[in-house]
Amino acid sequence: MRFEPSRPRDLFRGRYLLAPAFLAGVAGAAQAQQFQLQPGLIPGVVRWTEGVECADVENDGDLDIFFADGDGFSSAGTKRQNVLIINNFPSFTDESVARLGASVSNAKMVITGDIQNDGLVDALFCNAFNTDLPFLFVNQAGNPGFFQQQSAARGLTVAFSSASGQFGDLDNDGDLDLILNDSGPSFLGGGGGRPRLYLNDGLGFFTQEVAKMNAPLKVAHMDVQLVDVDNDYDLDFYGANRAANGGQTHYLMLNDGTASFTNISGTIPATSANVYESEMADLDGDGDLDNFFVSLSGFGEGVHRNNLIPSGTLSFTAGASFGTHDDNEIALLDFDNDGDYDSIVGSLSGPAEKLYRNDGNLVFAQVANAFTTVGDSTLDVTVADLNNDGAYDVISAQGESNPGQFANKIYANVGAPDSLAPVIVREETLSSPTATGPWVVRTMVRDQVLDDAKNWVTGSGTYVVNTLAQNVGISITGFSFVPTSVPAGTTVTWTNNSGVAHDVTSTTDGYGFASGPFSPGNSFSYTFVTPGTYTYTCTIHPGMNGVLTVTGSASTANVTYSAGSMYRSEMFDTAGGNGVELVYETRYVDWAGNVTVTPSKRVPLAGACGFTAYGVGVSPTNDLILGGSGSGAVGGVATLTVSNATPGFTILASSTGSSFLPLFSGVALLDPLGLLVNVTVPTVGGVSTANLPLPALPALAGFSVFFQSFGLDGTKPEGIALSNGIELVICP
């Protein structure tokens, strides 16, 4: 079963950005230049451009380009039109005024995100020098790709000096909040400023939260990243600064999960005072986020290694610097399809953009002649597949110096397309989820591209709330698998009843379940959530293939991108509180169409299984008190404890029904017609205990059993005491 992305990528397969004049030279040049300049593709007036970002503004399946134009290095120059270039491949058109309106500012950066969760990408231009509000452009649902500027109406009411910002879900409520930097009145000097936190109300309206941010003053704050630095699934705030700031050069502030931040900037080793940007990502494959800097030392690039794994303590170690050019920008791309992030450096003073290959252990070596040599002044780059051929291209923004080369540029990637599926780095565990939900799971996903904490991966998910555990067995008796059909949400168990070892390995796109060899008498289980047809094989015995059909329906999870490669999946109760287990999976597809599905999860719902006492207090005083403990799960033990004021003979009984009968001056909560077992429990010191083994039968999950105790008590008119009732819903 292949889960195709919702965008029509296949319509674009085989298209190339290369202009006709370049076609003849591709074969020879590709060996030296993987990223080849495509002159003249970006239309419009050539201006000083500070920032670039791509987004599919029309939901038509290709990526359009925003540019942030606005003159001025340390003070305001001429305001320029905010730019939107529409991708009509093989051509691009400047539709800035038509789609954004006549809107000019000293823009330093443009960021994008769906602030209303309406499926449309909105945009914000970060404006410097205190001349304008941040410009928030809201994409119009009735006319996708056309925007209304609604800054003040949506809570952005203060003009300040911003070089950057990011959208991200900072309080884990499923909508995108916002942090914008404020570099202070003089932008690169003076008394500095503080980053500003805005929380989203869920409808795309923002409220500034000063106390929750409580950031220290810093000079020349240039960059914002929202990333999970301490591996607790909350997005923390990192900010690079172009100033020493007393040795605590950059911002690092930890999120407590409610968008309240604690300053730990001293954790980051000092760098040069020339840093415009860095990118945080797992650069050595150990599961925590490292940091790649421009100008780590002097003008040399370099890396800070995160020591969280394996030490357990968040700290960073600075590596050696390399390179000598004054550069401005970092973007991460696995250009060679080897599973680790390499680094693209936007070159301000060098002869060309630079590409550094990562050996997977934080050792970077420059790849010679990776880009067409152009003597321009790059202020920003981004990475995006503009022609949908599966290979990520590079777009550069030009400004500051060398006005003759201010034209923004596209470099076509003529290397191999992205062939690697997204990687599930880690997934949050649901702990004692309630029966009524909602249930939220966050997942960290790594893919080929990461730029400004943004990637090109789309998440989706399905789930089933079972009111009775669904379990099906498949017996392996020879060298074939019996075709099987099961409802969505079923756990399938393969049991090896043959005389040799077998395995069960998925051959369905995106699914990675694999049992490994299991010998006769052993078994392997997997839960199937999404309806469809699944194929699998025994790799030990070629030709031993199986087909499993999953029928019925599953619910769709609300999966949103939080930023920093973090995804949030929210699921809701579909069983009216009667569910005994939640089964779910999420899937991730990158822009090239590669798919990964998380291993399915089967989670008992707290309150929907286990022990519940009822009927307490309905009988006279001195009654028995019945309690339950133990796992209450199939294959486990149910422990029933009876206590009373008068030691004596007690009987513990169980039933499948819970009818109420007036008996013995009390209320009998057992249905005597459904009596299953009578257990005599000797009383010692007024306490009686019985351990009842529960059969290891998965089909029992969700089944209810009712217990009540009867005891001899001479204080009762009939000489019999009744306990309260206990319901056990057997857990999976």
Side-chain angles (χ1 to χ4, degrees), residues 31-172:
Q31 297 300 317
Q33 292 178 355
Q34 181 163 333
F35 300 93
Q36 300 187 9
L37 177 65
Q38 307 300 297
L41 280 181
I42 298 176
V45 179
V46 174
R47 303 289 195 196
W48 178 329
T49 302
E50 289 271 0
V52 55
E53 181 145 326
C54 290
D56 183 2
V57 302
E58 306 158 291
N59 282 352
D60 63 349
D62 56 32
L63 291 171
D64 311 294
I65 310 172
F66 288 99
F67 287 109
D69 290 0
D71 298 7
F73 176 67
S74 59
S75 60
T78 304
K79 293 183 180 183
R80 302 298 188 185
Q81 171 69 38
N82 303 146
V83 176
L84 174 55
I85 305 296
I86 297 299
N87 187 347
N88 296 307
F89 191 86
S91 65
F92 295 81
T93 58
D94 184 350
E95 300 186 25
S96 304
V97 175
R99 291 175 180 267
L100 301 177
S103 176
V104 298
S105 66
N106 297 109
K108 290 288 185 181
M109 180 55 68
V110 56
I111 61 176
T112 61
D114 181 1
I115 65 171
Q116 301 179 95
N117 280 336
D118 61 356
L120 297 174
V121 176
D122 310 295
L124 185 147
F125 284 80
C126 304
N127 296 321
F129 311 124
N130 302 282
T131 57
D132 292 283
L133 303 178
F135 284 174
L136 178 59
F137 290 93
V138 179
N139 205 336
Q140 300 305 292
N143 196 13
F146 290 81
F147 297 79
Q148 290 182 355
Q149 207 267 74
Q150 298 181 1
S151 303
R154 290 183 177 268
L156 305 181
T157 59
V158 178
F160 49 91
S161 195
S162 181
S164 185
Q166 260 185 32
F167 291 112
D169 186 358
L170 298 172
D171 51 6
N172 194 25

Side-chain angles (χ1 to χ4, degrees), residues 621-647:
T621 58
N622 295 327
D623 286 353
L624 302 169
I625 301 298
L626 183 61
S629 62
S631 69
V634 294
V637 174
T639 299
L640 282 301
T641 301
V642 182
S643 60
N644 59 1
T646 304

Side-chain angles (χ1 to χ4, degrees), residues 218 244-250 265-266 268-271:
K218 287 186 184 288
N245 288 305
Q248 292 193 8
T249 308
H250 310 294
S265 299
I268 300 180
T271 67

Side-chain angles (χ1 to χ4, degrees), residues 452-668:
D452 294 327
K454 186 174 183 179
N455 61 20
W456 298 116
V457 176
T458 301
S460 61
T462 51
Y463 66 99
V464 174
V465 182
N466 281 327
T467 56
L468 188 66
Q470 302 288 336
N471 297 276
V472 168
I474 295 177
S475 176
I476 306 173
T477 57
F479 294 91
S480 64
F481 295 109
V482 177
T484 306
S485 178
V486 300
T490 297
T491 297
V492 176
T493 298
W494 288 266
T495 300
N496 187 352
N497 291 319
S498 70
V500 297
H502 291 290
D503 73 279
V504 174
T505 301
S506 172
T507 55
T508 300
D509 189 20
Y511 285 80
F513 64 85
S515 64
F518 56 100
S519 57
N522 293 322
S523 61
F524 167 73
S525 296
Y526 191 82
T527 301
F528 292 86
V529 185
T530 305
T533 300
Y534 298 79
T535 58
Y536 59 94
T537 189
C538 173
T539 62
I540 301 172
H541 303 103
M544 185 176 171
N545 302 317
V547 176
L548 182 76
T549 303
V550 178
T551 61
S553 62
S555 299
T556 301
N558 180 25
V559 180
T560 54
Y561 183 55
S562 298
S565 295
M566 190 72 70
Y567 292 79
R568 179 184 190 271
S569 178
E570 186 170 19
M571 299 162 281
F572 301 90
D573 178 26
T574 59
N578 295 315
V580 299
E581 64 177 6
L582 169 70
V583 295
Y584 63 91
E585 65 187 17
T586 52
R587 65 189 60 86
Y588 300 91
V589 55
D590 63 22
W591 196 266
N594 304 300
V595 182
T596 293
V597 183
T598 59
S600 60
K601 302 295 187 299
R602 185 185 189 196
V603 183
L605 297 177
C609 70
F611 294 94
T612 303
Y614 63 104
V616 179
V618 298
S619 294
T621 58
N622 295 327
D623 286 353
L624 302 169
I625 301 298
L626 183 61
S629 62
S631 69
V634 294
V637 174
T639 299
L640 282 301
T641 301
V642 182
S643 60
N644 59 1
T646 304
F649 178 78
T650 61
I651 295 177
L652 180 66
S654 60
S655 170
T656 57
S658 59
S659 299
F660 292 80
L661 297 173
L663 288 174
F664 309 120
S665 300
V667 178

